[in-house]
Amino acid sequence: MKIQFITGNAVKFKDAAHYFSAAGIELKQTNMAVPEIQADCANEVCRAKANYVSERICGPFFVEDSSFHIPSLLNFPGIYARYVLETLGTEGILRAMTGMDKRDCYFKSCIVFCDGANRFHEFSFIRNGLFITEHAGKSITGWSELWRIIGVAGLGKHVSEASPEQRAVLESEWSQENTFTRLIEYIRGKYCEKEHL
């Protein structure tokens, strides 16, 4: 079974391919210009993307989207995190948080999988236990620039200040619960046993 990941983001595809390859599932990147609606959350964007793509290609595929939320700022920036980074930057977000005691934040990611028969299956994951730091920290190679201003509540410090061992534990925990993992578990349970993938 070959599944298409509809994305023009080579880094995101590489990350996904790592999970799917380890599970023995073939993944193909399909670059398609897909309109993104204005919405409050990644789930709404994903559903609209999946509907658009399903009218134009055949076979199983999935789309993915994510959002970043700061409850103290009324869940800003939501799905507009990339635009906010390009305009305000991390320093602008820090200025907006000046004087705020409640600094928790979270990422939300969503995948909508179309099984090839126009049946849609949705998977979501929230990465919480995070907070906005007072000052920007070091950038982390391969991670979003947002992580320059994010700390981990369980560690009480900026993620870049975590030891390699602590970072490895965090990444392991997050990899076991993310949307790619949830989709893979669904696919293996639904199809792979029958097809011996």
Side-chain angles (χ1 to χ4, degrees), residues 72-189:
S72 292
L73 296 180
L74 302 179
N75 284 322
F76 174 86
I79 64 169
Y80 304 105
R82 183 172 60 183
Y83 175 74
V84 168
L85 283 175
E86 291 172 352
T87 54
L88 298 178
T90 52
E91 293 297 334
I93 297 175
L94 289 180
R95 285 194 297 273
M97 294 293 294
T98 300
M100 291 190 176
D101 295 326
K102 293 185 178 180
R103 306 181 71 87
D104 56 299
C105 61
Y106 63 92
F107 287 95
K108 184 173 185 178
S109 57
C110 175
I111 280 177
V112 173
F113 170 64
C114 180
D115 60 14
N118 273 356
R119 291 188 296 261
F120 297 96
H121 311 273
E122 189 171 312
F123 306 88
S124 298
F125 170 65
I126 294 178
R127 182 182 294 181
N128 49 27
L130 308 173
F131 66 93
I132 301 294
T133 56
E134 297 282 350
H135 306 283
K138 297 177 182 177
S139 61
I140 304 170
T141 303
W143 292 31
S144 165
E145 276 295 294
L146 284 169
W147 286 94
R148 294 187 64 240
I149 58 170
I150 292 176
V152 180
L155 301 178
K157 55 188 174 183
H158 190 279
V159 68
S160 69
E161 297 172 342
S163 68
E165 293 77 18
Q166 290 172 322
R167 289 258 299 276
V169 169
L170 287 173
E171 291 181 25
S172 175
E173 291 174 351
W174 291 335
S175 70
Q176 292 172 20
E177 290 292 328
N178 67 32
T179 46
F180 294 139
T181 302
R182 292 181 181 188
L183 173 57
I184 288 167
E185 288 174 354
Y186 173 80
I187 291 170
R188 290 183 65 83

